[in-house]
Amino acid sequence: MDKLLIEGGHRLQGEAEMSGAKNAALPILCAALLTREPLTLTNVPQLNDIGTMLKLLAQMGVAVQRDGSVVTLDASGLDNPLAPYEMVKTMRASILVLGPLVARCGEAKVSLPGGCAIGARPVDQHIKGLTAMGADIAVEHGYVVARTSRLRGARLFTDMVTVTGTENLMMAAVLADGETVIENAAREPEVVDLANCLVAMGARISGAGSDVIRIQGVERLHGATHRIMPDRIETGTYLCAAAATGGEIRLTGTSAAYLDAVVDKLMDAGCDIRTEKSPSFEAIVLRAPRRLKAVSIRTAPYPAFPTDMQAQFMAINALAEGTSIIRETIFENRFMHAVELARLGADIRIDGNTAVVQGVAQLDGATVMATDLRASAGLIIAGLVARGETVIERIYHLDRGYERIEQKLAALGATVRRLS
Ligand code: EPZ
């Protein structure tokens, strides 16, 4: 199993180009199931999760062509609306094929995604919404088995804000008979990117980005070409890495537009952040002070502070001046990185969904274990500033969501290498 070896103490400086957003690309790849015509996507990140999703679609009969960050999908040959357990268990986002398969084929058999390290992560809202749209759904032998003659538009209300739940129901609704209204919808930018792609394919959607999304069902969708939005979590991760090391970096191919909550907190911590905008691109420049001030955070659905940036901020608070409170309100078990950070010398006390972080003057390198994708990012940030060497085990988690992370960090001046 691969490990990452990091030698701490190097300020990050220089430039890095951000990749397309994993959490926009995953639902948008599934949108290809909704049409018999080719869907071409650009700026698709080259990540393990993307590879897993392409394999899942290919075994359904979707023709997949991939050339670097350009992916073309042709679902005219879709003949197997099945997502088997062996594939779904490695990636929970596989549940995103459910809505499109029911809409396109009138049937689907999708393995229930198991829980994962950060929580039980049920999909009851996905099922509740599809049932309200007229799907007959049974959950048997670990599979969601759905069938319908044709979905009909309905007024849907999700009990909590769910990103993939909103995405699944929006994709189901685009071919339904009549109007669907999704209330309490997720407002994440990745939901908007999916809606923009579906509209380019001929769907009729309004309100994406607000908590009420209206979809007028149409008879069929056509092919399109769509560029995946930049990855705001990758961007926030590199901003935090530079902030923790007292560095100065410029991130290109990305936008600060979707990171207000994160940028605000980094500025509260003492960083100087500005964006460069031109007709062709946008960049973010961050300059960090020698030592950050501790900042308290509370995760919540967009546009509030994203849960996917919580571990990264725990890492920068571990070394900041003062005490911070971190509240995780989205997932029930997303503090596993705290005990690993403590192995590096961090002073963190956990009480339920609240962590109290007392900034220390120095962390010392050690061997630590990654438990989930974003926890891995938090451990990397800590390793970049810990004295001596830090070895991070189980970094397959990292490869799911961060494209070429060693190369990008090394280009910014970090000493990091992969140990097989
Ligand atoms: C998406 O997960 C992201 N994944 C996650 O990113 C992200 O952390 C999460 O949204 C929150 O922003 C993708 O987009 C592929 P939810 P998702 O449904 O959709 C509960 C990463 O690191 N819930 O918004 O699975 C759920 O348990 C990943 O890239 C139900 O109870 O999250 C959680 O407590 C990690 N029933 C809360 O709602 C449901 O039917 C929010 O979950 C659905 C959700």
Side-chain angles (χ1 to χ4, degrees), residues 22-23 92-93 121-126 160-164 307-308 330-331 334 373-374:
K22 166 178 85 80
N23 290 350
R92 319 175 17 69
R121 304 191 66 189
V123 291
D124 54 298
Q125 302 298 308
H126 302 235
M160 78 295 292
V161 174
T162 158
V163 175
T164 51
T307 174
D308 289 351
I330 305 288
F331 291 112
R334 203 170 198 179
L373 169 56
R374 305 305 174 183

Short mmCIF file of all heavy atoms in Angstrom, two decimals, residues 22-23 92-93 121-126 160-164 307-308 330-331 334 373-374, ligand 1:
data_model
loop_
_atom_site.label_atom_id
_atom_site.label_comp_id
_atom_site.label_asym_id
_atom_site.label_seq_id
_atom_site.Cartn_x
_atom_site.Cartn_y
_atom_site.Cartn_z
N LYS A 22 -14.06 17.14 -8.84
CA LYS A 22 -14.49 15.73 -8.72
C LYS A 22 -16.00 15.66 -8.48
O LYS A 22 -16.71 14.90 -9.13
CB LYS A 22 -13.76 15.07 -7.56
CG LYS A 22 -14.35 13.72 -7.12
CD LYS A 22 -13.58 13.08 -6.01
CE LYS A 22 -13.98 13.55 -4.65
NZ LYS A 22 -15.20 12.97 -4.08
N ASN A 23 -16.50 16.50 -7.57
CA ASN A 23 -17.91 16.37 -7.17
C ASN A 23 -18.89 17.04 -8.13
O ASN A 23 -20.09 16.98 -7.92
CB ASN A 23 -18.09 16.89 -5.74
CG ASN A 23 -17.44 15.96 -4.73
OD1 ASN A 23 -17.01 14.85 -5.09
ND2 ASN A 23 -17.31 16.40 -3.51
N ARG A 92 -19.14 5.50 -3.07
CA ARG A 92 -20.53 5.75 -2.72
C ARG A 92 -21.23 6.60 -3.76
O ARG A 92 -22.43 6.51 -3.94
CB ARG A 92 -20.61 6.51 -1.39
CG ARG A 92 -19.70 6.11 -0.32
CD ARG A 92 -19.87 7.03 0.83
NE ARG A 92 -21.12 7.75 0.71
CZ ARG A 92 -22.32 7.21 0.85
NH1 ARG A 92 -22.41 5.93 1.07
NH2 ARG A 92 -23.42 7.93 0.72
N ALA A 93 -20.50 7.42 -4.47
CA ALA A 93 -21.15 8.32 -5.44
C ALA A 93 -21.78 7.52 -6.59
O ALA A 93 -22.50 8.08 -7.41
CB ALA A 93 -20.12 9.30 -5.99
N ARG A 121 -24.26 7.52 6.17
CA ARG A 121 -24.52 8.07 4.83
C ARG A 121 -25.65 7.33 4.11
O ARG A 121 -25.48 6.75 3.04
CB ARG A 121 -23.23 8.09 4.03
CG ARG A 121 -22.18 8.88 4.80
CD ARG A 121 -20.97 9.21 4.08
NE ARG A 121 -21.20 10.12 2.98
CZ ARG A 121 -20.24 10.39 2.10
NH1 ARG A 121 -19.09 9.80 2.21
NH2 ARG A 121 -20.47 11.21 1.10
N PRO A 122 -26.82 7.31 4.69
CA PRO A 122 -27.96 6.65 4.04
C PRO A 122 -28.40 7.37 2.77
O PRO A 122 -27.97 8.50 2.51
CB PRO A 122 -29.06 6.73 5.12
CG PRO A 122 -28.67 7.87 5.98
CD PRO A 122 -27.18 7.95 5.95
N VAL A 123 -29.22 6.70 1.98
CA VAL A 123 -29.73 7.31 0.74
C VAL A 123 -31.26 7.33 0.75
O VAL A 123 -31.91 7.31 -0.30
CB VAL A 123 -29.20 6.57 -0.51
CG1 VAL A 123 -27.70 6.82 -0.68
CG2 VAL A 123 -29.49 5.06 -0.42
N ASP A 124 -31.82 7.40 1.96
CA ASP A 124 -33.29 7.37 2.08
C ASP A 124 -33.98 8.52 1.36
O ASP A 124 -35.08 8.36 0.82
CB ASP A 124 -33.69 7.36 3.57
CG ASP A 124 -33.07 8.53 4.32
OD1 ASP A 124 -31.83 8.60 4.38
OD2 ASP A 124 -33.81 9.41 4.79
N GLN A 125 -33.32 9.67 1.28
CA GLN A 125 -33.95 10.81 0.60
C GLN A 125 -33.99 10.61 -0.92
O GLN A 125 -34.92 11.05 -1.58
CB GLN A 125 -33.19 12.10 0.93
CG GLN A 125 -33.13 12.40 2.41
CD GLN A 125 -34.52 12.61 3.03
OE1 GLN A 125 -35.31 13.40 2.53
NE2 GLN A 125 -34.82 11.86 4.07
N HIS A 126 -32.97 9.94 -1.44
CA HIS A 126 -32.96 9.63 -2.88
C HIS A 126 -34.18 8.74 -3.18
O HIS A 126 -34.92 8.95 -4.13
CB HIS A 126 -31.70 8.84 -3.26
CG HIS A 126 -30.40 9.52 -2.93
ND1 HIS A 126 -29.41 9.75 -3.87
CD2 HIS A 126 -29.89 9.99 -1.76
CE1 HIS A 126 -28.37 10.35 -3.30
NE2 HIS A 126 -28.64 10.51 -2.02
N MET A 160 -33.31 16.77 4.83
CA MET A 160 -32.12 17.57 5.13
C MET A 160 -31.50 17.96 3.78
O MET A 160 -31.89 17.41 2.73
CB MET A 160 -31.13 16.78 5.99
CG MET A 160 -30.26 15.76 5.30
SD MET A 160 -31.18 14.35 4.60
CE MET A 160 -31.74 13.57 6.09
N VAL A 161 -30.60 18.87 3.77
CA VAL A 161 -29.95 19.26 2.50
C VAL A 161 -29.02 18.12 2.11
O VAL A 161 -28.14 17.72 2.87
CB VAL A 161 -29.15 20.57 2.69
CG1 VAL A 161 -28.35 20.87 1.41
CG2 VAL A 161 -30.10 21.73 3.00
N THR A 162 -29.25 17.55 0.94
CA THR A 162 -28.38 16.47 0.47
C THR A 162 -27.91 16.78 -0.94
O THR A 162 -28.72 16.99 -1.85
CB THR A 162 -29.10 15.09 0.50
OG1 THR A 162 -28.45 14.19 -0.40
CG2 THR A 162 -30.57 15.16 0.15
N VAL A 163 -26.60 16.79 -1.12
CA VAL A 163 -26.01 17.18 -2.41
C VAL A 163 -26.33 16.13 -3.48
O VAL A 163 -26.99 16.43 -4.48
CB VAL A 163 -24.49 17.38 -2.28
CG1 VAL A 163 -23.86 17.66 -3.63
CG2 VAL A 163 -24.18 18.53 -1.31
N THR A 164 -25.91 14.88 -3.25
CA THR A 164 -26.18 13.87 -4.30
C THR A 164 -27.67 13.53 -4.35
O THR A 164 -28.18 13.12 -5.40
CB THR A 164 -25.36 12.60 -4.05
OG1 THR A 164 -25.56 12.18 -2.71
CG2 THR A 164 -23.90 12.80 -4.34
N THR A 307 -17.97 21.22 4.79
CA THR A 307 -17.45 20.12 5.61
C THR A 307 -16.19 19.52 4.99
O THR A 307 -15.30 19.04 5.70
CB THR A 307 -18.52 19.02 5.80
OG1 THR A 307 -17.94 17.91 6.48
CG2 THR A 307 -19.09 18.53 4.49
N ASP A 308 -16.06 19.59 3.66
CA ASP A 308 -14.89 19.01 2.99
C ASP A 308 -13.62 19.82 3.22
O ASP A 308 -12.55 19.42 2.79
CB ASP A 308 -15.14 18.89 1.48
CG ASP A 308 -16.16 17.81 1.19
OD1 ASP A 308 -16.52 17.07 2.11
OD2 ASP A 308 -16.62 17.72 0.03
N ILE A 330 -22.44 18.24 9.56
CA ILE A 330 -22.94 17.45 8.42
C ILE A 330 -22.79 15.96 8.67
O ILE A 330 -23.75 15.20 8.51
CB ILE A 330 -22.21 17.84 7.11
CG1 ILE A 330 -22.30 19.33 6.84
CG2 ILE A 330 -22.73 17.00 5.95
CD1 ILE A 330 -23.66 19.82 6.39
N PHE A 331 -21.61 15.52 9.05
CA PHE A 331 -21.38 14.08 9.23
C PHE A 331 -21.12 13.77 10.69
O PHE A 331 -20.56 14.60 11.42
CB PHE A 331 -20.18 13.63 8.37
CG PHE A 331 -20.47 13.66 6.89
CD1 PHE A 331 -19.82 14.57 6.07
CD2 PHE A 331 -21.42 12.81 6.34
CE1 PHE A 331 -20.11 14.62 4.72
CE2 PHE A 331 -21.71 12.87 4.98
CZ PHE A 331 -21.05 13.77 4.18
N ARG A 334 -16.62 12.72 11.56
CA ARG A 334 -15.64 13.29 10.65
C ARG A 334 -14.52 13.99 11.41
O ARG A 334 -14.02 15.03 10.99
CB ARG A 334 -16.32 14.26 9.67
CG ARG A 334 -15.47 14.41 8.42
CD ARG A 334 -16.14 15.14 7.29
NE ARG A 334 -15.40 14.85 6.06
CZ ARG A 334 -15.74 15.31 4.86
NH1 ARG A 334 -16.79 16.08 4.71
NH2 ARG A 334 -15.03 15.00 3.79
N LEU A 373 -10.75 10.75 2.46
CA LEU A 373 -10.14 11.64 1.47
C LEU A 373 -9.68 12.96 2.07
O LEU A 373 -8.52 13.35 1.95
CB LEU A 373 -11.15 11.88 0.34
CG LEU A 373 -10.83 12.97 -0.66
CD1 LEU A 373 -9.50 12.74 -1.32
CD2 LEU A 373 -11.94 13.06 -1.69
N ARG A 374 -10.55 13.65 2.76
CA ARG A 374 -10.20 15.00 3.22
C ARG A 374 -9.31 14.95 4.47
O ARG A 374 -8.49 15.83 4.69
CB ARG A 374 -11.45 15.83 3.47
CG ARG A 374 -12.37 15.90 2.29
CD ARG A 374 -11.70 16.39 1.01
NE ARG A 374 -12.63 16.30 -0.12
CZ ARG A 374 -12.33 16.58 -1.37
NH1 ARG A 374 -11.10 16.95 -1.66
NH2 ARG A 374 -13.21 16.47 -2.33
C1 EPZ B 1 -21.58 15.07 -1.08
O1 EPZ B 1 -21.79 13.84 -0.43
C2 EPZ B 1 -20.10 15.08 -1.45
N1 EPZ B 1 -19.82 13.97 -2.36
C3 EPZ B 1 -19.26 14.96 -0.18
O2 EPZ B 1 -17.89 15.04 -0.55
C4 EPZ B 1 -19.60 16.13 0.74
O3 EPZ B 1 -18.88 15.99 1.95
C5 EPZ B 1 -21.11 16.13 1.04
O4 EPZ B 1 -21.85 16.17 -0.21
C6 EPZ B 1 -21.54 17.31 1.87
O5 EPZ B 1 -21.19 18.51 1.22
C7 EPZ B 1 -20.16 14.10 -3.67
O6 EPZ B 1 -20.71 15.12 -4.09
C8 EPZ B 1 -19.83 12.95 -4.56
P1 EPZ B 1 -25.10 14.63 1.53
P2 EPZ B 1 -23.31 13.35 -0.18
O7 EPZ B 1 -26.12 13.76 0.90
O8 EPZ B 1 -24.19 13.86 -1.23
C9 EPZ B 1 -27.37 12.83 5.28
C10 EPZ B 1 -15.68 14.35 -0.67
O9 EPZ B 1 -14.81 14.37 0.19
N2 EPZ B 1 -28.24 12.14 4.29
O10 EPZ B 1 -25.12 16.10 1.21
O11 EPZ B 1 -23.26 11.88 0.07
C11 EPZ B 1 -25.94 12.35 5.23
O12 EPZ B 1 -25.76 11.20 6.04
C12 EPZ B 1 -17.07 13.90 -0.31
O13 EPZ B 1 -15.52 14.72 -1.86
C13 EPZ B 1 -29.27 11.32 4.73
O14 EPZ B 1 -29.47 11.14 5.94
O15 EPZ B 1 -23.66 14.09 1.18
C14 EPZ B 1 -25.18 13.54 5.76
O16 EPZ B 1 -25.21 13.50 7.19
C15 EPZ B 1 -17.13 13.38 1.11
N3 EPZ B 1 -30.08 10.70 3.82
C16 EPZ B 1 -26.01 14.73 5.27
O17 EPZ B 1 -27.30 14.21 4.95
C17 EPZ B 1 -29.90 10.86 2.47
O18 EPZ B 1 -30.67 10.28 1.68
C18 EPZ B 1 -25.45 15.41 4.02
O19 EPZ B 1 -25.14 14.39 3.10
C19 EPZ B 1 -28.85 11.70 2.03
C20 EPZ B 1 -28.04 12.34 2.95
#
